[in-house]
Amino acid sequence: MLDVKKIRADFPILSREVNGKPLVYLDNGASAQKPQAVIDAITTAYAHEYANVHRGLHYLSNLATEKFEGVRGIIARFLGVSDENQIVLNSGTTEGINMVAYGWAMPRMEAGDEIVLSVMEHHANIVPWHFLRERQGVRLKWVDVDATGALDPQKVIDAIGPKTKLVAVTHLSNVLGTKVDVKAITEGAHAKGVPVLVDGSQAAVHMPVNVDEIGCDFYAITGHKLYGPSGSGAIFVKQERLQEMRPFMGGGDMIREVSKDEVTYNDPPMKFEAGTPGIVQTIGLGVALEYMMGFGMEAIAAHEDSLSQYAQERLTGLNWLNVQGTTRDKAAIFSFTMDGAAHAHDISTILDKKGVAVRAGHHCAGPLMDHLGVSATCRASFAMYNTKAEVDALVDALELAHDLFG
Ligand code: PLP
């Protein structure tokens, strides 16, 4: 059982007020708040331990390198990856997926080849593939979710044809909270000889993840949703794919030697980490992951599951609220619209007056919005520090919005 009161005390921002009301922060799907341990690590790194990494021959550079490089192992442990050299450090999921699109997919795809995607992907797992469609004539094949927001793994596997070169799916929808059986998808895709990229941006926050067990080829995470700093993240790339992939960005750190006529590259993963990295951001991410692992992902997931059940009951009890995504086993992410004329932006403005922070808009999921037949929703997304009392505060604020607009 999580001691949520104690956890809340670790997050200084949670004790502030917004618009004269205690903050109820339910915009975790966009970015999570940071515990004091992460804030302290950032301050310490800049105040006492800062230098550029890798090429230094002095004390501080070696210290910064040791701390920065140590995070690779922490991420590997967090994701259940046995070989930390399969972890490429970066600024987040967007960079990770673009690296795969430019470095791995572009050189091996031609006109008529296909990429299979689910309709609930985030734009970060759509737009890089549109680049291949626009520039190389690659076809994007979309698999729909059902009326509850569930994605049938078999439908994804059935969509794989002889021209399919990649399956790219989310592990957990940032809009619906739907969990996806990426292990089954990976097994089915591999049986047809097709690699799988998993967008783990949301899943890694809310549930235990074991990438070795899933068996996928690429698994992307982003630090700022994991209670770490923005501008930090990583992508797992399976050893065979690392060998096949060409560098996406060139510059310092990713090379062994450079002359006027030639360049030789560092070994992976550094071959794919050009330029000065987000040193302090990455160190902060390491501390954030240790913080989460200190509670255990099972305990975090159990707390969030009970929040999810409670929120589902309370929100579906409001007969003027249309909650999108009703799978039973979903993460505590709720997107909704309200009967009547109220636009998602207006609802979120009323909630904000009550100190309740939610997000309104398309949530970077255009194809899913089209599938749902809406232009925007409000989204309340919970984290390990949220409480049932905050679900009640959300419902009270929604009732007020309904009284005003309904
Ligand atoms: N994928 C999913 C499912 C997300 O929710 C997000 C962020 O909202 C991203 C990808 C993109 O992450 P980032 O903007 O940190 O690169």
Side-chain angles (χ1 to χ4, degrees), residues 166-216:
L166 180 71
V167 173
V169 282
T170 189
H171 197 176
L172 200 160
S173 163
N174 64 310
V175 179
L176 305 175
T178 305
K179 296 173 188 170
V180 175
D181 188 347
V182 288
K183 186 167 192 274
I185 290 173
T186 301
E187 281 167 8
H190 283 181
K192 294 183 171 187
V194 175
V196 176
L197 177 143
V198 178
D199 177 354
S201 306
Q202 297 286 343
V205 184
H206 300 292
M207 58 202 248
V209 171
N210 189 307
V211 170
D212 280 356
E213 254 174 53
I214 294 167
C216 59

Side-chain angles (χ1 to χ4, degrees), residues 39-343:
I39 298 166
D40 288 346
I42 293 168
T43 309
T44 303
Y46 278 129
H48 305 292
E49 298 174 343
Y50 185 75
N52 208 337
V53 290
H54 293 145
R55 43 196 167 243
L57 289 172
H58 59 84
Y59 176 83
L60 281 182
S61 178
N62 290 336
L63 181 61
T65 302
E66 205 177 293
K67 293 224 161 177
F68 173 81
E69 277 300 324
V71 178
R72 217 182 282 283
I74 297 173
I75 295 172
R77 193 154 37 87
F78 179 74
L79 290 178
V81 170
S82 51
D83 174 7
E84 70 176 58
N85 288 320
Q86 298 177 111
I87 302 291
V88 178
L89 300 171
N90 58 28
S91 63
T93 294
T94 302
E95 185 183 335
I97 297 179
N98 274 277
M99 180 193 78
V100 176
Y102 280 93
W104 184 83
M106 267 186 190
R108 50 185 23 80
M109 291 196 197
E110 52 190 37
D113 284 344
E114 296 164 355
I115 299 172
V116 171
L117 303 162
S118 94
V119 78
M120 62 184 167
E121 299 312 314
H122 186 279
H123 293 167
N125 196 23
I126 297 175
V127 182
W129 312 123
H130 268 308
F131 290 167
L132 273 81
R133 181 191 59 73
E134 287 174 345
R135 298 170 195 180
Q136 300 182 207
V138 167
R139 257 189 80 214
L140 307 187
K141 252 178 139 174
W142 297 94
V143 182
D144 275 344
V145 291
D146 70 16
T148 68
L151 179 67
D152 180 352
Q154 194 54 48
K155 272 184 140 184
V156 178
I157 296 162
D158 290 345
I160 299 170
K163 295 290 236 175
T164 305
K165 292 284 161 51
L166 180 71
V167 173
V169 282
T170 189
H171 197 176
L172 200 160
S173 163
N174 64 310
V175 179
L176 305 175
T178 305
K179 296 173 188 170
V180 175
D181 188 347
V182 288
K183 186 167 192 274
I185 290 173
T186 301
E187 281 167 8
H190 283 181
K192 294 183 171 187
V194 175
V196 176
L197 177 143
V198 178
D199 177 354
S201 306
Q202 297 286 343
V205 184
H206 300 292
M207 58 202 248
V209 171
N210 189 307
V211 170
D212 280 356
E213 254 174 53
I214 294 167
C216 59
D217 300 81
F218 308 96
Y219 194 98
I221 58 167
T222 198
H224 66 100
K225 295 183 202 289
L226 290 156
Y227 310 99
S230 57
S232 67
I235 185 163
F236 159 83
V237 183
K238 198 180 249 180
Q239 196 53 248
E240 297 95 292
R241 304 286 96 76
L242 275 177
Q243 300 307 324
E244 291 165 355
M245 193 161 64
R246 70 184 187 194
F248 157 45
M249 288 206 293
D253 255 19
M254 50 80 77
I255 50 87
R256 189 163 286 143
E257 277 177 63
V258 182
S259 70
K260 282 182 179 160
D261 301 318
E262 265 186 330
V263 54
T264 52
Y265 302 116
N266 231 323
D267 290 331
M270 285 185 67
K271 182 177 177 182
F272 304 104
E273 297 173 355
T276 300
I279 300 164
V280 176
Q281 292 92 322
T282 303
I283 291 170
L285 173 58
V287 173
L289 298 184
E290 292 282 25
Y291 179 80
M292 292 175 82
M293 288 189 282
F295 300 108
M297 287 310 293
E298 281 83 5
I300 291 173
H303 168 65
E304 291 190 15
D305 283 350
S306 85
L307 272 183
S308 181
Q309 299 298 327
Y310 183 65
Q312 206 157 2
E313 272 164 36
R314 295 253 23 218
L315 293 174
T316 50
L318 305 172
N319 58 11
W320 34 265
L321 200 74
N322 312 305
V323 179
Q324 307 282 359
T326 52
T327 52
R328 290 242 20 101
D329 173 34
K330 67 177 243 159
I333 298 175
F334 295 88
S335 286
F336 46 80
T337 52
M338 203 180 269
D339 281 354
H343 188 275

